[in-house]
Amino acid sequence: MENNNFVLTVNSKFTHHIESEYLNDLDLIEVDKGKYHLIKDGASYEVEIIDVDLAKKQVRLKIGHEKFETVVADINDQLIEKMGLEMNIAQQVNDIKAPMPGMVISILTEVGKTIEQGEPLLVLEAMKMENVLKSPGDGVIKSILTKTGQAVDKGDILIEME
């Protein structure tokens, strides 16, 4: 593992800086799916991963009988924060816009459907290539403002979500 520094925030209060070498030195053994045995500084801990949200870089853990919510920030996250460029990736998606001019080849969803992040919504042909537009977040399809075979310009709203 390359030498990286991570910032671990626990329960939105406690922040701890961790070097990757520290992680390599942990005595951690998986005893069951999502359950681990950890020995640190001579103390033994039972660790269970409750939930992982990769998009938000959040991990909910149970260590012994206590639950913890953690957020892991790698070097890129730290640089983005330092530069003031952080964005709320958990924000609700309202509009799906055409990223380029093209022709709508196929609509892969319908009004009222609940959509998850990464789910294909429609196919747009541009420069003789088919591009699948996927949902950048979770939501419900409120309206579809385009039709199959319709030409669209960059920035046109294709789908409204709520």
Side-chain angles (χ1 to χ4, degrees), residues 58-145:
Q58 294 178 339
V59 180
R60 291 185 329 143
L61 302 169
K62 182 177 174 185
I63 302 175
H65 298 291
E66 283 191 70
K67 291 183 180 177
F68 300 92
E69 292 191 15
T70 64
V71 178
V72 180
D74 64 16
I75 191 74
N76 294 325
D77 300 318
Q78 295 169 53
L79 181 59
I80 288 169
E81 182 178 349
K82 185 176 182 179
M83 294 173 64
L85 300 174
E86 61 266 312
M87 56 187 216
N88 183 3
I89 60 173
Q91 69 185 358
Q92 183 178 358
V93 178
N94 293 322
D95 296 329
I96 306 300
K97 298 179 181 179
M100 63 195 84
M103 176 86 59
V104 176
I105 299 300
S106 177
I107 298 173
L108 307 172
T109 191
E110 59 190 33
V111 174
K113 183 176 179 185
T114 300
I115 299 296
E116 294 182 5
Q117 180 176 353
E119 191 168 333
L121 300 175
L122 59 85
V123 180
L124 182 67
E125 183 183 271
M127 299 184 292
K128 299 183 183 179
M129 293 179 57
E130 291 187 2
N131 302 282
V132 178
L133 300 185
K134 298 179 180 179
S135 177
D138 298 344
V140 176
I141 302 297
K142 180 179 177 182
S143 62
I144 299 173
L145 305 174

